[in-house]
Amino acid sequence: MEHFIVSARKYRPQTFNEVIGQESITNTLENAIKNNHLAQALLFTGPRGVGKTTCARILAKQINQDGKTELNPDEDFAFNIFELDAASNNSVDDIRSLTDQVRIPPQVGKYKVYIIDEVHMLSQSAFNAFLKTLEEPPAHAIFILATTEKHKIIPTILSRCQIFDFKRITVLDVKNYLKDIAKKENVKADDDALHIIAQKADGAMRDALSIFDRVVSFSGAELTRQAVTENLNVLDYDEYFDTTDLILDNDIPKVLVQFNSIISRGFDGHHFISGLASHFRDLLVAKDKATVPLLEVGDNAKKRYLEQSEKASLQFLLQAIDKANDCDLKYKTSKNQRLLVELTLMQLASITFDGKKKIAKTT
């Protein structure tokens, strides 16, 4: 049996050009290397799975290339790169051991690079022991600190570092990258299926690749929207389109039956109502050509949003968003949560019904 390598490791970027969604940071680092203007202490901060450690490794490798533009895979300068996981090596002794190593110059290449991951996990005394070395490091030493929680790092450390804030990767960038991975893995993937994975990842590429691996294991070489929604236990957008159609038709009994079928499949009422509020927001966005680009959905779903937005008036959508959002806020404190959602659905289905009654009276 062939050894399986997860996509997050198999397709980990090896150069700055391969890093997705962090162009401003990768360009800055590349220019700093070219112009010999790189700080000796760098802090990479941002959400999980957005490329902090990957960029640290690429940078550590590239600064030892002596100005060569292309990286030679044989010259990885592994003996010049030291990685420390601060989550499990957070004592003063660990930092003292590190500072002792720092004094020894590299045998090959120009620099010794120290990557300290999850640096916010260091103890207060470990931070203090690290201060002097970080302020006046030897000329051959470069420190790259990575963290998801910058606010936990003491100000005296922050003031000694050049800080790079990594952002969440956009849904579109994640989807396009997954499309490339699917081609390489010979997986036939629906555009909507990849979009759902990208949304579920919430801006983290590592999470997106982990979800992709899981869904491929479940469905094989063909990735459909149905397979993804079933495996990830997310509500398919069809449910929201159907519910909205019933609400616009003022069909209260069918709306309640629809909600009951969703609940009976194990979905949470809170998840449904917050999703419905988001659906109304997307319909509102689809009503104006200027705001259509704000729709973070696949091409097939976009067509359906444009069609349904024509059926719903602006006044209805504003009221619907307000009522659904109000239910979302009250859900956790409610003692009868199901009744709260059902009451909201009945109110939603009555918005246009009241309008129709008024029109009927005037005629």
Side-chain angles (χ1 to χ4, degrees):
M1 184 179 171
E2 194 178 339
H3 179 62
F4 174 71
I5 302 170
V6 295
S7 296
R9 280 183 58 206
K10 189 175 180 181
Y11 297 104
R12 184 188 280 272
Q14 298 301 313
T15 64
F16 283 128
N17 292 334
E18 293 173 19
V19 177
I20 304 294
Q22 309 295 349
E23 287 78 12
S24 61
I25 291 173
T26 55
N27 290 342
T28 305
L29 292 172
E30 282 188 310
N31 289 334
I33 295 167
K34 280 179 193 172
N35 302 324
N36 197 23
H37 203 75
L38 193 69
Q40 282 193 273
L42 308 169
L43 176 66
F44 291 175
T45 177
R48 69 182 194 281
V50 294
K52 296 185 298 297
T53 308
T54 295
C55 283
R57 287 176 182 173
I58 295 169
L59 178 64
K61 187 178 173 183
Q62 198 157 325
I63 56 176
N64 275 310
Q65 293 292 324
D66 295 321
K68 294 172 192 172
T69 50
E70 286 189 25
L71 293 180
N72 183 348
D74 297 327
E75 293 180 18
D76 61 358
F77 296 97
F79 293 110
N80 291 37
I81 302 166
F82 301 86
E83 286 196 43
L84 179 77
D85 177 28
S88 51
N89 301 283
N90 55 7
S91 69
V92 178
D93 291 337
D94 293 314
I95 293 300
R96 278 183 187 149
S97 172
L98 181 73
T99 53
D100 288 341
Q101 284 182 30
V102 169
R103 295 175 195 153
I104 305 164
Q107 301 303 305
V108 184
K110 285 184 179 180
Y111 300 101
K112 285 174 85 172
V113 184
Y114 297 86
I115 301 170
I116 305 177
D117 218 348
E118 303 300 335
V119 72
H120 65 273
M121 299 288 280
L122 288 177
S123 64
Q124 184 72 33
S125 50
F127 270 130
N128 292 332
F130 192 36
L131 276 175
K132 191 66 180 170
T133 308
L134 200 63
E135 187 173 16
E136 296 175 2
H140 61 260
I142 289 180
F143 293 97
I144 305 173
L145 315 180
T147 181
T148 52
E149 299 181 55
K150 186 173 75 173
H151 61 278
K152 289 186 179 178
I153 299 172
I154 58 174
T156 44
I157 292 282
L158 293 175
S159 65
R160 287 163 170 79
C161 297
Q162 201 173 78
I163 300 170
F164 292 87
D165 284 298
F166 283 69
K167 62 183 181 182
R168 288 184 186 280
I169 303 167
T170 64
V171 172
L172 189 63
D173 281 344
V174 174
K175 187 187 82 171
N176 290 335
Y177 188 68
L178 289 176
K179 199 180 281 184
D180 292 339
I181 300 296
K183 281 180 187 173
K184 289 175 186 173
E185 293 289 315
N186 297 316
V187 173
K188 189 183 175 186
D190 286 357
D191 187 70
D192 287 346
L194 295 178
H195 202 95
I196 292 165
I197 294 171
Q199 282 184 315
K200 186 79 173 172
D202 194 28
M205 186 63 80
R206 186 172 59 229
D207 288 8
L209 290 169
S210 298
I211 295 167
F212 176 80
D213 284 345
R214 189 174 112 199
V215 177
V216 168
S217 298
F218 171 75
S219 62
E222 195 160 338
L223 215 61
T224 61
R225 195 184 84 215
Q226 287 79 11
V228 171
T229 51
E230 188 181 335
N231 186 256
L232 298 182
N233 198 33
V234 295
L235 261 175
D236 193 3
Y237 59 71
D238 275 346
E239 301 289 354
Y240 296 120
F241 279 112
D242 293 344
T243 302
T244 305
D245 280 336
L246 293 171
I247 286 169
L248 290 169
D249 291 340
N250 315 117
D251 199 334
I252 291 173
K254 282 186 180 174
V255 169
L256 296 178
V257 170
Q258 170 90 349
F259 175 59
N260 183 63
S261 72
I262 290 166
I263 292 293
S264 63
R265 278 181 275 144
F267 289 104
D268 181 38
H270 197 188
H271 176 70
F272 168 75
I273 203 69
S274 65
L276 190 62
S278 297
H279 181 77
F280 291 143
R281 175 264 179 197
D282 288 340
L283 288 174
L284 186 67
V285 160
K287 283 193 80 66
D288 195 309
K289 286 181 181 177
T291 53
V292 166
L294 297 176
L295 268 178
E296 287 192 333
V297 293
D299 294 336
N300 295 333
K302 190 178 281 187
K303 288 175 190 172
R304 293 189 65 180
Y305 273 109
L306 292 169
E307 286 170 13
Q308 195 171 63
S309 67
E310 290 175 10
K311 298 178 192 173
S313 68
L314 186 67
Q315 189 183 4
F316 163 78
L317 288 172
L318 289 170
Q319 286 187 58
I321 291 169
D322 184 51
K323 288 182 187 297
N325 189 52
D326 188 51
C327 178
D328 185 15
L329 295 171
K330 290 177 180 174
Y331 192 88
K332 283 189 177 177
T333 54
S334 173
K335 288 186 177 177
N336 193 336
Q337 294 171 333
R338 177 167 181 156
L339 179 62
L340 177 69
V341 177
E342 288 176 337
L343 184 62
T344 302
L345 290 171
M346 287 187 273
Q347 289 172 341
L348 289 168
S350 304
I351 293 171
T352 54
F353 185 69
D354 290 343
K356 286 174 187 175
K357 279 173 72 178
K358 285 173 188 173
I359 291 166
K361 282 179 183 178
T362 53
T363 54

